[in-house]
Amino acid sequence: MDLSTSACDMLSVADLALEGTINEFEERLRSRRLSVNQGYEGGMNTADDVISSFINTYEAEIMRVANTIDMANRSIEAYGESLLMNIESLSVIKNKRGDVTVELEKIQGDASMIETRVLGLNRATQRNAEKLRSIAVEADRRLGTACEVLAQRKFSSEPWTCEASTTKIVSLLSDLYDVIRELKHGTKKRVWAAPSKFDRTTYKYWVEEEKAAEVMLKCVSELPLLVYGRSGRIMKSSQTDLGKSSKALWSDPATPITSVYFDNKTLDMYKERIKRSEGAKLLRARWYGERPHGKEVVFLELKTHHEKWVNTKSLKQRVAIQEQYMCKLLDIGNPDWTQDYARVVVGLSNPNAARKDIDSATNLLLEIRSLICHLELRPCVRTQYIRAAFQSSQNNNLRFTLDRNIIVIDERKNTQGTSWCLDEDASVSVESIVNLPYSVFEVKVASGEIPSRIQDLQISNVITSAAKFSKFLTGVATFNSNERITMPWWASNSAFASIFYAGEKKDEEQGTSQTSESSITNGYDISEGIHQRDKQSDDRIDNNAAHGVSVLNEQIVNTVEKRPHDKQKCRRYLSLCCFKRHSAKIAPKVPARVEPKSYFANERTFIQWFSAALLLVTISELFFIMADADEYSRITAIVLISFALFLLCYSLVTYYRRIYLMRTGKPYGYTDFIGPGVLTAVTITGIIMLMNFKMGEHALFNRDPELATIHQSPGECIQRNITGVPALEYEPSDAVIDAQRGLVLIPSFNLITAINSEIPLSSTNSYDGLDVLAKVPAFLDDVEVDMEALEIINGTLYAVSEAESFSELLAFEWSDADTTLSLIRRWRISTPAVEGMVYIPDYEGGKLLIAGRTMNVGTS
């Protein structure tokens, strides 16, 4: 297939030739040292002739490239028309032969090639327009021409806008793919009727204007163009009209849509919608084409948002009523709205509807009336745009819509007492009308996934995800930014910054400049707005009163050009606007989904924290019980109970903080990094301290032995045999138990003896006798040893021996076989007549107290 390949090859700007001409003419002007009005001798008489010559050359190049673009467009359109005629003839072939699969596949491949060729041609057109613009700027700078103005005027018309060619190709491909589907699946196109209820999942995207053509071409390959109230081929019914206007698609197959959204003075509906609360509602009145009057129909649509945990999908319901009843519907004091009256109003707009549908619509109308009275709703924001819809007329399972030229209007500026909303011929101030920076592409799916072709658009950045984008939220936020409401998440997008915060500029500059008021000469005529919104930014700056577009940056630039001494003031305002934009409260892009069970979970978590605090109180109570015997126990108990009080307060604060986060829909801030760590550390500390106190002398931090509990057993006496030592020579003076060796150590005079530490079951149990472990020789003064007391300290056995004028402290250690004791050291003590000793351990090593006629302290 050759879609005017030679013409497309010529689609290239002679930029080098134009740049050479600029250099040549600039050199002529400089060499002759001429001003613009001076002349010189040569081929051209004046400098004006030089400039005029270049302008003619530049304009001729624009026309040459434009003719090439137009020729390529016509070639593609002609091929598309021939494909459409060929495929329509396949219906006859199919009836005769039956199978036309091969032919359909070939035509479908050619249709796809048309789509690719159109996109390539559009990109080449934009690329050449940019080249010609840059050349115009250079010529204006170096030669003093006005080529940039000329280029702007040329590029705002066909074929540079690519609207007419794209329009016809989209319509052709819509019919072409539609016939292919009919031949493949045997379905025929019928008139589509809008359902009263919509139950679909919606995905929203932003589209830049220069990428809208690619989006439409991808859509039309999946679904046909849907024209409300019509069926059959688009090209058959509008073929002649499509060639007349550059906006053909947007004036015939596409539909102008106007919606008036309702809210009250406190913006309750806006606040609930931006939080995405369960059951949040949105009410709007919608019409298609021109504003209806009298008996013409207005559609009232009620949107209800449902969370996933409700197990009910979000719903859009609509009911049609005549426009003449709108004022009565909004009149809160009107008593006529009974069930019968509402039924009559619905019946007038739906004369052919079934009784069941009339009853359902009546109930919906009364619900809307109740909502209006309860919230005192009034028109708040109006949106106007042109919509191209792509959908099969057979079902509502999949639908694409592309909304272009979107404007929002402040309906609260309506001062007309006789109309319930602004009339299309009403004039409002330019501050009350704002153009949105993007077109909006919506994919509505009843079930299943988004088609792969649409997913490819997102991957290639042709469309940008705009989850939960709302024209209503955008309009309200635009005209109410001074009221410090929560802004939608897309307020952080740079393209929307000048829109949302334009109202702050007005407040900042009050007293120094006056804004234009509503009038016939400087106002905005709503009826002409749709046809004027697509003009270029330069035209909007020069004619902002005619177009009603209030663009912050353009107004600042315009002011600086007229009053240069205000430059510093504009810089200050830009800084202030930037500061306010960052400090404004912006809703999260993905708000937290809060279900009723989330509140119960929060309560359960609080109760578990409470239980942990009670555990610490219990542990501290155990330490208080032991506080009578140990001061350290009381200190530990106080510390633990203090931590318990801290956990109680901390858990209460966390509980209420999470309730706040859930109510405000915050998606972050629920994680607790402090509480679990503190609770774990305190609990482990309490348990370790409790074990330490209970383990006594084996404690980790405390070496104090645990006090023994002594019980008296009257009448019980255990006898032991002491064979092995003469009775007259044996005089026990103390007894110490060596638990490690299972022995009872007994001193007697200069002997240390041992018997088994087990207690006999009866006095008849015999024992082989005493074992002599050590025999201590006399001291140097030949003073006999008379040991009175024993003490085991860290495995070493200590003994004291008495005398009349002094005493001795003896140290023994066990042999390798644990059968004998060896004297390793002896000390002389000045305390006479020692009768006993006791070891008191402490953190410094302990003290050994020896008792005699006078008290003395010796350190081991």
Side-chain angles (χ1 to χ4, degrees):
M1 181 182 75
D2 181 14
L3 294 179
S4 188
T5 303
S6 59
C8 289
D9 292 339
M10 294 189 297
L11 187 54
S12 179
V13 176
D15 50 345
L16 296 179
L18 290 174
E19 291 172 359
T21 303
I22 292 175
N23 294 332
E24 178 186 353
F25 286 177
E26 183 183 27
E27 181 62 27
R28 287 185 181 183
L29 290 174
R30 286 182 177 178
S31 61
R32 300 297 182 178
R33 302 183 181 275
L34 295 174
S35 66
V36 174
N37 295 319
Q38 289 176 320
Y40 64 93
E41 296 180 1
M44 298 181 185
N45 295 325
T46 65
D48 286 342
D49 292 338
V50 174
I51 295 172
S52 177
S53 176
F54 178 80
I55 292 176
N56 293 334
T57 302
Y58 180 77
E59 187 173 10
E61 180 62 16
I62 291 179
M63 294 302 297
R64 183 190 70 80
V65 177
N67 291 335
T68 305
I69 295 172
D70 188 62
M71 182 171 57
N73 282 328
R74 292 181 183 276
S75 175
I76 297 173
E77 291 169 6
Y79 190 83
E81 290 172 353
S82 65
L83 283 181
L84 184 58
M85 290 187 291
N86 290 337
I87 197 170
E88 286 180 341
S89 64
L90 285 180
S91 300
V92 180
I93 299 175
K94 183 179 180 180
N95 293 333
K96 295 181 178 179
R97 197 176 64 191
D99 185 14
V100 290
T101 305
V102 176
E103 290 84 353
L104 287 177
E105 293 294 334
K106 182 180 182 304
I107 293 177
Q108 190 168 357
D110 291 343
S112 179
M113 193 174 298
I114 289 176
E115 174 187 331
T116 303
R117 196 68 177 181
V118 170
L119 291 176
L121 182 60
N122 289 348
R123 294 189 186 101
T125 301
Q126 294 174 7
R127 190 165 54 248
N128 283 281
E130 289 300 320
K131 285 184 180 180
L132 289 169
R133 281 194 186 95
S134 64
I135 292 173
V137 171
E138 188 69 12
D140 289 354
R141 184 180 65 84
R142 296 169 62 181
L143 302 180
T145 64
C147 291
E148 188 174 5
V149 177
L150 172 65
Q152 190 68 22
R153 186 173 64 252
K154 292 289 186 180
F155 296 152
S156 62
S157 60
E158 288 297 326
W160 297 98
T161 61
C162 303
E163 283 288 348
S165 58
T166 304
T167 291
K168 192 166 185 179
I169 293 300
V170 168
S171 300
L172 278 170
L173 291 178
S174 176
D175 287 343
L176 194 61
Y177 282 115
D178 206 24
V179 176
I180 292 175
R181 295 185 196 98
E182 289 180 7
L183 293 176
K184 281 186 175 181
H185 307 294
T187 58
K188 290 189 176 182
K189 197 169 184 178
R190 57 185 178 85
V191 178
W192 177 78
S196 59
K197 292 184 179 181
F198 298 86
D199 184 9
R200 293 178 296 205
T201 302
T202 302
Y203 303 90
K204 297 184 179 181
Y205 305 90
W206 290 322
V207 182
E208 296 177 0
E209 183 62 29
E210 58 269 18
K211 298 178 180 179
E214 185 172 354
V215 174
M216 287 188 293
L217 290 171
K218 294 292 183 182
C219 290
V220 82
S221 64
E222 294 287 339
L223 293 171
L225 271 168
L226 178 68
V227 183
Y228 187 76
R230 280 174 44 184
S231 63
R233 302 284 174 267
I234 296 175
M235 294 301 296
K236 286 183 178 179
S237 55
S238 59
Q239 187 170 0
T240 56
D241 295 335
L242 286 171
K244 293 179 180 179
S245 171
S246 64
K247 298 292 181 182
L249 178 62
W250 303 100
S251 61
D252 191 4
T255 307
I257 298 177
T258 303
S259 299
V260 176
Y261 294 88
F262 297 86
D263 209 337
N264 54 18
K265 294 181 179 180
T266 56
L267 305 177
D268 289 339
M269 299 193 81
Y270 172 88
K271 294 174 182 177
E272 291 300 310
R273 291 292 293 187
I274 203 167
K275 291 191 299 184
R276 303 196 63 79
S277 302
E278 164 56 30
K281 296 183 181 297
L282 174 65
L283 178 63
R284 69 186 177 199
R286 170 170 288 187
W287 61 85
Y288 303 89
E290 296 183 356
R291 179 176 183 253
H293 295 279
K295 295 183 178 180
E296 295 175 331
V297 171
V298 173
F299 295 96
L300 293 173
E301 297 183 349
L302 181 63
K303 288 186 174 183
T304 306
H305 171 71
H306 290 298
E307 296 284 357
K308 291 183 178 180
W309 56 266
V310 181
N311 201 24
T312 301
K313 291 186 177 181
S314 297
L315 192 64
K316 183 176 80 172
Q317 300 168 282
R318 68 188 298 177
V319 57
I321 67 171
Q322 294 180 356
E323 191 274 339
Q324 61 184 348
Y325 290 102
M326 285 300 300
C327 288
K328 294 182 179 180
L329 182 68
L330 297 176
D331 184 4
I332 298 176
N334 192 319
D336 296 339
W337 287 94
T338 62
Q339 184 81 16
D340 294 336
Y341 183 78
R343 187 186 301 276
V344 172
V345 171
V346 171
L348 290 175
S349 302
N350 305 273
N352 299 322
R355 182 179 180 84
K356 180 180 179 181
D357 296 334
I358 293 291
D359 292 340
S360 177
T362 300
N363 293 333
L364 176 59
L365 182 59
L366 289 176
E367 181 182 353
I368 292 174
R369 167 67 181 178
S370 176
L371 186 65
I372 291 173
C373 295
H374 177 66
L375 296 179
E376 299 182 359
L377 300 180
R378 284 290 178 269
C380 179
V381 172
R382 173 185 295 197
T383 62
Q384 290 182 341
Y385 49 89
I386 305 298
R387 168 171 289 182
F390 302 85
Q391 179 178 337
S392 171
S393 60
Q394 306 296 325
N395 56 66
N396 300 303
N397 295 334
L398 182 63
R399 177 182 174 93
F400 305 143
T401 59
L402 180 62
D403 299 338
R404 299 175 70 182
N405 304 329
I406 306 172
I407 65 170
V408 291
I409 305 170
D410 190 359
E411 273 285 341
R412 293 180 303 175
K413 301 299 183 182
N414 182 17
T415 58
Q416 301 169 341
T418 58
S419 178
W420 63 275
C421 69
L422 285 169
D423 288 329
E424 291 195 346
D425 57 353
S427 295
V428 295
S429 62
V430 292
E431 293 85 0
S432 300
I433 301 175
V434 174
N435 287 64
L436 298 193
Y438 297 113
S439 299
V440 176
F441 177 57
E442 296 185 18
V443 179
K444 301 179 180 180
V445 184
S447 60
E449 297 182 352
I450 301 176
S452 58
R453 278 177 172 256
I454 306 303
Q455 294 178 1
D456 293 340
L457 288 176
Q458 188 173 4
I459 294 173
S460 59
N461 295 323
V462 176
I463 58 178
T464 303
S465 177
K468 307 303 179 184
F469 176 79
S470 168
K471 303 180 186 74
F472 165 67
L473 296 181
T474 302
V476 175
T478 299
F479 301 121
N480 296 276
S481 60
N482 293 334
E483 298 184 13
R484 298 299 183 264
I485 58 177
T486 300
M487 308 297 285
W489 67 262
W490 52 91
S492 58
N493 184 291
S494 58
F496 286 94
S498 61
I499 295 177
F500 286 140
Y501 301 98
E504 297 180 1
K505 168 183 175 295
K506 182 179 178 181
D507 291 342
E508 191 68 21
E509 294 186 348
Q510 276 183 350
T512 61
S513 62
Q514 298 294 328
T515 58
S516 58
E517 301 295 333
S518 302
S519 64
I520 299 299
T521 58
N522 66 355
Y524 179 89
D525 191 347
I526 299 177
S527 62
E528 298 178 0
I530 293 177
H531 305 291
Q532 296 176 341
R533 285 190 303 273
D534 61 327
K535 291 195 174 182
Q536 301 296 326
S537 59
D538 289 340
D539 294 333
R540 295 203 302 270
I541 296 174
D542 296 336
N543 305 291
N544 59 355
H547 295 276
V549 179
S550 177
V551 181
L552 178 60
N553 292 336
E554 293 173 353
Q555 290 180 347
I556 291 177
V557 171
N558 215 15
T559 304
V560 173
E561 290 175 351
K562 292 180 180 179
R563 300 193 300 175
H565 62 276
D566 281 351
K567 289 183 179 180
Q568 187 64 31
K569 175 184 175 183
C570 291
R571 293 193 192 100
R572 289 198 304 269
Y573 169 66
L574 288 172
S575 300
L576 176 64
C577 181
C578 182
F579 170 76
K580 290 186 177 181
R581 178 165 63 91
H582 287 292
S583 61
K585 184 178 181 181
I586 299 178
K589 185 174 182 179
V590 183
R593 295 289 177 256
V594 181
E595 305 177 11
K597 63 181 181 182
S598 300
Y599 292 97
F600 298 139
N602 191 28
E603 291 178 2
R604 288 194 299 271
T605 303
F606 172 71
I607 292 173
Q608 290 172 354
W609 278 102
F610 201 95
S611 301
L614 291 180
L615 173 63
L616 293 181
V617 171
T618 303
I619 297 176
S620 64
E621 181 63 24
L622 295 176
F623 283 104
F624 273 124
I625 293 175
M626 296 184 294
D628 295 336
D630 196 311
E631 177 67 16
Y632 196 68
S633 298
R634 188 177 66 84
I635 296 174
T636 304
I638 293 174
V639 172
L640 290 178
I641 205 167
S642 300
F643 275 117
L645 293 174
F646 166 76
L647 288 178
L648 285 175
C649 297
Y650 180 82
S651 61
L652 186 64
V653 171
T654 303
Y655 170 75
Y656 283 112
R657 180 176 61 87
R658 286 172 174 167
I659 285 182
Y660 168 77
L661 293 174
M662 288 188 289
R663 287 183 174 178
T664 54
K666 298 288 185 180
Y668 49 82
Y670 297 90
T671 305
D672 185 3
F673 295 100
I674 300 175
V678 172
L679 176 62
T680 303
V682 173
T683 304
I684 292 176
T685 302
I687 293 174
I688 291 176
M689 297 305 298
L690 181 61
M691 294 175 61
N692 178 59
F693 281 105
K694 297 300 291 182
M695 289 171 62
E697 64 177 3
H698 302 290
L700 181 60
F701 304 111
N702 187 3
R703 294 293 181 179
D704 293 339
E706 189 176 20
L707 295 176
T709 304
I710 301 175
H711 300 279
Q712 185 178 3
S713 301
E716 290 187 16
C717 182
I718 305 299
Q719 296 181 1
R720 294 273 191 174
N721 293 324
I722 54 173
T723 58
V725 177
L728 294 178
E729 297 179 6
Y730 191 70
E731 186 179 334
S733 58
D734 195 6
V736 173
I737 297 177
D738 189 339
Q740 181 179 352
R741 296 168 180 83
L743 300 175
V744 178
L745 305 180
I746 303 169
S748 174
F749 297 118
N750 65 337
L751 301 177
I752 297 178
T753 62
I755 61 174
N756 196 317
S757 64
E758 293 183 9
I759 299 177
L761 299 178
S762 66
S763 58
T764 60
N765 289 346
S766 64
Y767 182 65
D768 293 339
L770 295 172
D771 293 330
V772 178
L773 301 178
K775 185 175 182 179
V776 182
F779 200 62
L780 296 177
D781 296 336
D782 295 330
V783 177
E784 295 293 334
V785 176
D786 185 8
M787 289 181 285
E788 295 292 336
L790 300 177
E791 191 73 43
I792 299 176
I793 303 174
N794 295 332
T796 303
L797 179 64
Y798 293 89
V800 289
S801 173
E802 66 170 345
E804 287 295 328
S805 59
F806 65 92
S807 300
E808 285 185 291
L809 177 63
L810 311 173
F812 300 87
E813 68 176 8
W814 288 93
S815 64
D816 295 337
D818 288 346
T819 56
T820 60
L821 288 169
S822 301
L823 180 64
I824 58 175
R825 192 171 180 183
R826 59 198 307 174
W827 296 269
R828 187 167 181 170
I829 301 173
S830 59
T831 302
V834 173
E835 297 293 339
M837 68 175 175
V838 65
Y839 174 73
I840 302 176
D842 58 27
Y843 295 105
E844 297 178 354
K847 292 180 171 57
L848 184 63
L849 301 181
I850 300 175
R853 290 178 183 174
T854 59
M855 179 77 64
N856 193 14
V857 178
T859 304
S860 63

